[in-house]
Amino acid sequence: MAKYASSPSSRWLLQILIFTFMFKVRAQLPGTWELILPNAGIASMHTAVTRFNTVVLLDRTNIGPSRKMLPKGHCRYDRYDVVLKKDCFAHSVVFDLQTNQIRPLMILTDTWCSSGQFLPDGTLLQTGGDLDGFKKIRKFEPCEPGGNCDWVELKDVELASGRWYATNQILPDGTVIIVGGRGTNTVEYYPPRTNKNGAVELKFLADVKDNQMDNLYPYVHLLPNGHLFIFANNKAVMYDHESNNVIGDYPALSGGPRNYPSAGSSVMLALEGNFSTAVIVVCGGAQYGAFIERSTVTPAHGSCGRIVTTDPKPGWEMEDMPYGRIMGDMVMLPTGDTLIINGAQAGAQGFEMASSPCLYPVLYRPNQPVGLRFMTLNPGTVPRMYHSTANLLPDGRVLIAGSNPHYFYKFAAEFPTELRLEAFSPEYLSPDRANLRPVIEEIPETVRYGEAFDVLVSVPLSVVGIIEVNLGSAPFSTHSFSQGQRLVKLAVTPSVPEGGRYRIQCTAPPNGSVAPPSYYMVFAVNQGVPSVARWVHLVP
């Protein structure tokens, strides 16, 4: 028997059986993958979707040659770049979702590990970075596909403190708070507050710092009460941005550090009902010590903590993912479920610091009981490690970009620099649900707080039950956290048939604490199947 088992033909047969088994397992798991673009020209470290259905991809500048040239005559000179002093390569591009075409953008100063957020008028605010970008403020005012919009680096204003690994969050009045950064235990605002002296100390960030940092890229969520939930390392506070004071402390989350360089990810679950309750989930992370020991094999955390931040006596409810995961991205889907995707199962964040890519996405279903909330989905084939991103698209797919665990671009490696753009389609986009998918036929382009408005939709099959109308923000995705991400479920009435379509009466969010002024993707969701979104401008 041993001789037979070791023969070449038997080994070949065993491999065929294993492959056949794995293929069947993959085919039975929900979700599908597709390659959108084989070469985006850059490895996207930061990604954001604009209201024109284009996507801004942004890397760092002092990384040497990318795979996309700038237009002729548009070179930059960088004394910090050890490879290219005269740099004629693009380090940012804009991607057109309709044509799958990319256009190079010109970024002048270093955007390595920077932060960003959309302003109320749809302009992308981008702040900080390293070296000559440390105190820079940049803007990208998106335009229609085919336009010539490009990055603008502001000359009349700069950050009060240099910020590297900071987090941005739009506030109820449309201004932006910029929190933390390496060696920067402060907050500041854009536009700068005239009655404040630049940066304001946030001692909490210094208190939670350990000898491998673990307080970078803090998780910042705007709560519906107008205050901020700020999480760093394994602790969190409620922060009053009006008075610049910590007004509440939360219990520590067990399981070790959760922020860079040990980051998992975090989301605030969908706001709904009377918008008085906010639930935060934090999942995954590296074990303490993996970073300073440069251990690529130390298993990642598989635990998640869930907390009702608005509860008088909040506490963490613990549960376990199917896989340990570091550097995973948590993406709020139009349905209110969360997709957990990308990352590794061992190591820490940093160059050459992780192994065992986590190819299996996981769906987190918040309304299920503990123990039944996680569903394993169809695995991808492309490792998405350090410096990868995930963003919800208006058609309900999730765009997957980036992965560069190397200091420069390196393609001959176990985990190479990744230029491919992929899309993951959740199960709600499967062909057997196409007859449930609504189409938004009419919707206002602009809606004011508290305003009642109608949405007209069509659906192939007769509607049974309530059609939800949900607002999804367009966050800035970087380093396993989507800055400014939120989903708001509007109050709606039952749909009324009207000439082959259905009319839904909706009420806009009551104020900027529930949904800050901005452009939102508005989805109609019928029995868990979302429409293609329409962009709506929410204004005071």
Side-chain angles (χ1 to χ4, degrees):
M1 177 66 73
K3 182 178 179 180
Y4 175 80
S6 62
S7 67
S9 60
S10 65
R11 289 198 299 270
W12 178 81
L13 179 60
L14 180 61
Q15 290 173 356
I16 291 295
L17 290 172
I18 291 174
F19 175 81
T20 303
F21 173 76
M22 293 304 297
F23 179 81
K24 289 182 177 179
V25 169
R26 285 171 57 96
Q28 292 172 357
L29 292 174
T32 59
W33 290 84
E34 62 181 305
L35 176 65
I36 298 180
L37 193 66
N39 182 1
I42 70 167
S44 190
M45 184 185 296
H46 322 81
T47 309
V49 180
T50 82
R51 70 185 189 275
F52 293 105
N53 294 330
T54 59
V55 184
V56 178
L57 309 175
L58 176 64
D59 198 2
R60 68 179 229 250
T61 53
N62 63 334
I63 200 168
S66 68
R67 293 299 183 269
K68 185 68 176 178
M69 300 294 296
L70 289 167
K72 187 176 180 179
H74 288 72
C75 300
R76 51 184 288 277
Y77 296 86
D78 189 350
R79 63 189 178 96
Y80 294 105
D81 195 323
V82 299
V83 179
L84 293 172
K85 299 302 180 186
K86 181 182 179 181
D87 186 358
C88 301
F89 292 88
H91 302 290
S92 180
V93 300
V94 62
F95 173 58
D96 183 349
L97 290 167
Q98 296 300 315
T99 64
N100 286 354
Q101 298 297 307
I102 59 171
R103 178 172 63 85
L105 302 175
M106 189 165 187
I107 196 87
L108 294 176
T109 56
D110 190 25
T111 50
W112 187 7
C113 301
S114 51
S115 52
Q117 193 81 165
F118 280 105
L119 298 173
D121 67 355
T123 298
L124 180 59
L125 176 75
Q126 218 277 326
T127 52
D130 193 21
L131 302 173
D132 58 349
F134 197 38
K135 300 183 75 173
K136 281 291 182 179
I137 300 175
R138 313 166 191 88
K139 286 185 176 182
F140 179 80
E141 186 175 342
C143 55
E144 293 280 0
N148 296 312
C149 46
D150 210 335
W151 287 103
V152 174
E153 308 221 1
L154 305 189
K155 297 179 180 179
D156 58 340
V157 62
E158 64 177 11
L159 295 172
S161 297
R163 298 196 183 269
W164 195 23
Y165 302 89
T167 300
N168 295 8
Q169 171 63 55
I170 189 171
L171 297 174
D173 63 357
T175 62
V176 173
I177 187 171
I178 308 162
V179 181
R182 188 167 182 171
T184 310
N185 300 314
T186 62
V187 305
E188 62 180 284
Y189 299 87
Y190 180 86
R193 292 186 174 179
T194 55
N195 60 335
K196 305 292 181 184
N197 295 319
V200 179
E201 182 185 18
L202 178 53
K203 187 173 179 295
F204 163 74
L205 293 175
D207 292 342
V208 297
K209 179 183 177 182
D210 57 32
N211 63 348
Q212 58 175 22
M213 295 171 290
D214 286 326
N215 67 342
L216 304 182
Y217 277 126
Y219 303 144
V220 181
H221 299 283
L222 174 65
L223 303 178
N225 61 12
H227 301 312
L228 296 170
F229 176 89
I230 302 178
F231 184 102
N233 195 332
N234 64 345
K235 297 180 181 177
V237 295
M238 185 182 289
Y239 186 74
D240 184 340
H241 57 85
E242 294 289 346
S243 64
N244 287 312
N245 287 310
V246 171
I247 58 174
D249 295 281
Y250 293 95
L253 174 59
S254 63
R258 306 282 182 161
N259 291 82
Y260 189 94
S262 306
S265 190
S266 176
V267 292
M268 180 171 66
L269 299 182
L271 300 176
E272 55 187 321
N274 64 3
F275 307 118
S276 63
T277 301
V279 181
I280 305 292
V281 179
V282 178
C283 287
Q287 291 190 39
Y288 173 79
F291 178 78
I292 52 178
E293 295 167 7
R294 297 194 61 83
S295 170
T296 62
V297 297
T298 302
H301 297 302
S303 65
C304 292
R306 172 170 164 161
I307 191 168
V308 182
T309 62
T310 47
D311 193 272
K313 294 183 179 180
W316 292 99
E317 176 185 69
M318 302 301 296
E319 47 195 326
D320 289 317
M321 297 185 287
Y323 306 93
R325 192 185 303 252
I326 181 174
M327 300 181 288
D329 287 279
M330 299 182 75
V331 180
M332 286 295 301
L333 299 179
T335 58
D337 292 341
T338 297
L339 179 71
I340 307 174
I341 200 165
N342 297 340
Q345 297 181 73
Q349 286 173 298
F351 296 122
E352 322 283 350
M353 288 284 285
S355 66
S356 186
C358 198
L359 299 175
Y360 284 85
V362 171
L363 187 68
Y364 179 75
R365 300 167 296 177
N367 295 329
Q368 295 294 319
V370 175
L372 298 176
R373 290 175 179 157
F374 294 101
M375 175 189 291
T376 300
L377 305 178
N378 189 25
T381 59
V382 179
R384 299 287 181 172
M385 310 284 276
Y386 188 44
H387 291 151
S388 57
T389 62
N391 295 73
L392 177 66
L393 296 177
D395 63 10
R397 296 178 299 167
V398 176
L399 179 71
I400 308 298
S403 186
N404 186 21
H406 315 288
Y407 191 82
F408 297 114
Y409 282 16
K410 186 177 181 180
F411 299 100
E414 181 181 11
F415 307 119
T417 301
E418 190 52 66
L419 305 182
R420 285 173 287 185
L421 299 183
E422 295 180 287
F424 179 78
S425 294
E427 188 177 22
Y428 54 55
L429 294 179
S430 61
D432 63 343
R433 302 189 184 190
N435 54 10
L436 295 175
R437 193 171 198 193
V439 174
I440 298 178
E441 304 285 358
E442 294 182 21
I443 190 172
E445 293 184 355
T446 302
V447 172
R448 297 188 178 278
Y449 288 124
E451 179 182 353
F453 64 98
D454 289 356
V455 175
L456 262 66
V457 304
S458 60
V459 186
L461 283 185
S462 298
V463 170
V464 177
I466 298 292
I467 296 180
E468 296 180 351
V469 178
N470 300 338
L471 274 62
S473 68
F476 182 86
S477 173
T478 188
H479 290 76
S480 309
F481 183 64
S482 290
Q483 301 179 15
Q485 181 173 227
R486 72 201 297 112
L487 184 76
V488 179
K489 295 191 173 187
L490 300 183
V492 297
T493 62
S495 56
V496 177
E498 185 177 290
R501 302 186 296 182
Y502 296 88
R503 182 177 296 275
I504 309 165
Q505 294 184 342
C506 312
T507 303
N511 53 56
S513 298
V514 173
S518 190
Y519 284 87
Y520 287 83
M521 293 178 281
V522 179
F523 297 89
V525 181
N526 177 38
Q527 298 185 54
V529 179
S531 67
V532 174
R534 297 275 291 269
W535 290 92
V536 171
H537 197 191
L538 181 62
V539 299

